[in-house]
Amino acid sequence: MLSISESTKIRPELSLILRKVLEKITPKPNEEEKLQKVAEKVCEEVREALNGLPVPFSVEVHGSFAHDTWLSGDRDIDIFILLRECKPKDFLQEILNILEEKLPYQFEHRYAEHPYLKTLIDDVEIEIVPGYYIEDKVLSAVDRTPRHTRFLKQHLTRELCDEVRLLKAFLKGIGAYGAEIKVQGFSGYACELLIIHYRSFLRTLLEIANKPRIFIDFTKTWTEKEAKKTFKKRVIIIDPTDPKRNVTANLSNQTFLKVKIAAKLFLEKPSDTFFFPKEAILPPNELLKHLQERSIILVELEINPDVSPDTYWGQAKRIMDKIQQFIRKQEDVYLYNIDIFEGRKSILILLETNTKKLPLYMRIRGPPVWASGRDLLNFLKKHQKEIGPIITLGPRIAFITRRREDEISVANLLKKFISTIKIKPSFLTVNVYDSPNDILEIVSRENALANFSHFITGKPPWLPEL
Ligand code: CTP
């Protein structure tokens, strides 16, 4: 099991760190009281505003505040209005209209699978989400939430809540917490289920560090083999309230690999930096020196403010994949690193390659000698104006050709390629920079110097001193 108290005997240094972290991330009683008060006040106001609704309903708090797995400093409360009868989906919007009219708050309209309201009350972020709670029926994603709360309340003890907090804080620290497309990591609910299954933070880390796959099925519906075939994921956690759903469907392979590495390193060299990463911003002259010496290119995608983060992050990641494939196709360019982050108004994609300038002459690889005579001849005909055929290096025919002047700069090639891919609706403009001064200027303007510094040093902010 390896709970914190058990780890004291085996690895006292580790358990000391966990205790200290826990003290920082566990909400203090006054913090809890404040949130509780706000939650009660808003629930009451919502109930009153909806008094007279022609359907039975309840107003309930769900999410991590209700489960007691929230982290100190996080100030958000999820309030659900649950209808006990089926009504058309427009009805949910009508409920929100009534609330907007009657409650004295400034609301932001949000839309996930269906509409909800968001507002700030006494420094606490409140989300008001309407849905249904009808036995045996899940009409929308929201409707699972009260079932989750019921399951978690039955299975989470006080000690386990501490273990959940540790896991959430660890994943948050290494940038792997949250199922949204920006992160593609573990949701809060996934953390809660992992702890219920493995019983402790350390055991969960050990499993993630050492197992190539994770398979947890609370419903005992699936064999591992069938689940693997159906869900096609390395991590499968079947939702205890819905056997058809993998709770970690949004977890990307890359994020899982990152968690694996961080887990291995933490278990080998425990440190609180995994939980509380240290931002290290390099001075501008140092950044400039790196930019001058290395081959770094910046792609800046200007965000359309009318588009939601999940949409523009999804599109940005697809654009990044395409850039990666394009660079990999260039014979003389090696991709050393690629990263993506959000600035004030733009998504920034940074790449480091072996060179910013390609050689004037390049090789064109042709068919191997075992190709048909016709194919060989066609290749020769097509390239007859180039230098070749070269038949001295292995079984393939090749030619040597002079590049066009405007195809020598990798940034130019990339610019041309990007002009062929779709950036709408998420992005208004796209720019490619390879000049050190331009890159530094854009990154500073976008308030992204911390992320940029970590890209330059290659060291994630959670990595402890080695
Ligand atoms: N939920 C879910 N799957 C997700 C995200 C959310 O099922 N990928 C449901 C869960 O029932 C969860 C609730 O929505 O309990 C609220 O989720 P959210 O507000 O995103 O996070 P919390 O679990 O409250 O965690 P925290 O606020 O600590 O990040």
Side-chain angles (χ1 to χ4, degrees):
M1 191 157 103
L2 268 184
S3 63
I4 306 174
S5 48
E6 282 165 323
S7 72
T8 315
K9 293 169 230 147
I10 315 166
R11 307 233 350 224
E13 85 299 357
L14 182 57
S15 118
L16 191 70
I17 288 173
L18 295 185
R19 280 177 204 283
K20 279 193 181 155
V21 170
L22 202 53
E23 203 175 309
K24 281 199 202 163
I25 61 173
T26 307
K28 304 277 167 296
N30 61 347
E31 207 180 348
E32 192 167 345
E33 256 165 49
K34 181 182 166 174
L35 256 69
Q36 187 63 39
K37 259 194 199 146
V38 176
E40 275 167 19
K41 182 175 99 169
V42 182
C43 281
E44 202 40 54
E45 286 171 339
V46 170
R47 271 182 213 114
E48 218 159 277
L50 297 179
N51 195 4
L53 211 64
V55 192
F57 69 95
S58 62
V59 180
E60 302 169 8
V61 176
H62 291 284
S64 62
F65 185 68
H67 314 150
D68 196 21
T69 56
W70 55 293
L71 300 180
S72 174
D74 277 4
R75 295 163 167 270
D76 57 80
I77 299 177
D78 307 304
I79 294 178
F80 286 74
I81 301 158
L82 298 168
L83 307 179
R84 304 300 159 126
E85 272 173 27
C86 267
K87 280 272 167 191
K89 288 216 167 154
D90 290 353
F91 193 68
L92 303 180
Q93 185 57 53
E94 275 173 42
I95 290 179
L96 296 182
N97 294 347
I98 299 175
L99 292 180
E100 252 197 301
E101 199 188 294
K102 292 201 178 165
L103 297 186
Y105 309 113
Q106 197 70 35
F107 287 109
E108 240 180 86
H109 299 242
R110 292 288 176 102
Y111 203 94
E113 197 179 302
H114 62 224
Y116 63 98
L117 295 175
K118 196 170 171 168
T119 186
L120 202 66
I121 302 172
D122 297 340
D123 250 1
V124 180
E125 228 174 66
I126 306 273
E127 278 179 12
I128 304 182
V129 192
Y132 306 88
Y133 192 61
I134 299 164
E135 250 353 280
D136 301 331
K137 264 194 203 151
V138 173
L139 300 176
S140 78
V142 166
D143 305 2
R144 293 196 190 94
T145 297
R147 294 170 169 85
H148 292 164
T149 302
R150 199 161 61 183
F151 179 85
L152 295 171
K153 288 260 182 215
Q154 277 166 8
H155 291 86
L156 283 175
T157 60
R158 243 198 128 70
E159 287 76 40
L160 290 183
C161 288
D162 283 349
E163 304 283 343
V164 172
R165 285 195 176 93
L166 285 172
L167 181 59
K168 283 188 175 185
F170 180 86
L171 293 171
K172 215 172 206 181
I174 63 165
Y177 181 68
E180 63 271 25
I181 295 177
K182 173 179 177 174
V183 183
Q184 291 178 302
F186 289 89
S187 65
Y189 185 48
C191 293
E192 291 159 337
L193 294 179
L194 280 165
I195 295 296
I196 290 175
H197 184 75
Y198 291 126
R199 316 304 293 169
S200 77
F201 164 68
L202 283 177
R203 168 88 196 280
T204 306
L205 279 205
L206 276 165
E207 295 285 329
I208 292 179
N210 299 321
K211 294 247 177 86
R213 312 185 143 265
I214 304 272
F215 171 66
I216 299 171
D217 180 6
F218 291 94
T219 65
K220 299 198 165 62
T221 310
W222 302 84
T223 62
E224 183 163 358
K225 206 169 149 201
E226 281 169 357
K228 211 162 108 183
K229 224 167 79 192
T230 306
F231 296 104
K232 299 184 179 67
K233 285 277 177 180
R234 285 188 208 217
V235 180
I236 300 170
I237 305 176
I238 302 296
D239 190 336
T241 75
D242 180 354
K244 288 194 209 66
R245 176 173 184 248
N246 174 14
V247 176
T248 42
N250 288 352
L251 176 70
S252 73
N253 264 344
Q254 204 55 50
T255 308
F256 181 53
L257 297 179
K258 171 158 96 169
V259 180
K260 237 178 189 327
I261 290 178
K264 283 186 188 225
L265 294 175
F266 177 78
L267 293 167
E268 197 60 34
K269 192 173 172 39
S271 159
D272 65 354
T273 56
F274 291 88
F275 299 88
F276 311 115
K278 292 199 179 85
E279 260 189 10
I281 299 184
L282 295 180
N285 58 341
E286 218 168 299
L287 291 172
L288 206 55
K289 192 160 166 264
H290 277 277
L291 284 168
Q292 281 156 353
E293 283 183 359
R294 293 159 58 180
S295 303
I296 291 171
I297 297 176
L298 169 68
V299 179
E300 183 202 16
L301 296 157
E302 188 194 350
I303 299 167
N304 176 355
D306 298 332
V307 172
S308 75
D310 256 7
T311 306
Y312 66 71
W313 265 103
Q315 200 172 354
K317 288 200 165 176
R318 285 193 297 277
I319 293 174
M320 179 167 89
D321 285 346
K322 284 188 182 145
I323 290 176
Q324 201 165 327
Q325 283 162 18
F326 174 76
I327 295 286
R328 291 230 155 99
K329 268 204 308 221
Q330 309 305 310
E331 263 217 22
D332 301 310
V333 188
Y334 303 106
L335 188 62
Y336 290 169
N337 192 9
I338 187 160
D339 208 352
I340 182 166
F341 38 82
E342 185 165 356
R344 254 173 353 113
K345 291 185 169 169
S346 301
I347 294 286
L348 305 176
I349 300 175
L350 278 161
L351 322 88
E352 178 161 4
T353 59
N354 58 325
T355 181
K356 280 198 277 193
K357 277 209 160 43
L358 295 172
L360 191 54
Y361 283 84
M362 68 180 274
R363 184 172 63 139
I364 308 172
R365 271 152 60 90
V369 288
W370 52 84
S372 70
R374 170 179 284 191
D375 284 349
L376 291 173
L377 189 63
N378 281 343
F379 184 72
L380 255 62
K381 270 191 191 159
K382 188 171 164 206
H383 295 286
Q384 54 185 309
K385 297 226 172 80
E386 322 291 355
I387 302 158
I390 313 288
I391 45 175
T392 52
L393 282 169
R396 260 176 207 285
I397 302 180
F399 279 91
I400 300 169
T401 184
R402 195 177 198 273
R403 281 183 210 274
R404 286 173 40 174
E405 298 286 337
D406 64 342
E407 289 186 346
I408 284 182
S409 136
V410 177
N412 257 354
L413 274 181
L414 201 56
K415 217 180 278 178
K416 241 197 212 166
F417 169 69
I418 292 177
S419 70
T420 67
I421 57 185
K422 192 176 148 228
I423 60 160
K424 285 198 171 65
S426 301
F427 304 104
L428 303 173
T429 59
V430 53
N431 285 301
V432 181
Y433 304 93
D434 69 349
S435 119
N437 288 318
D438 285 350
I439 295 180
L440 196 57
E441 192 189 313
I442 303 294
V443 170
S444 317
R445 191 196 70 200
E446 287 294 319
N447 254 340
L449 280 170
N451 282 324
F452 183 58
S453 298
H454 294 297
F455 180 84
I456 289 294
T457 60
K459 307 249 177 303
W462 45 264
L463 198 69
E465 295 228 353
L466 302 174

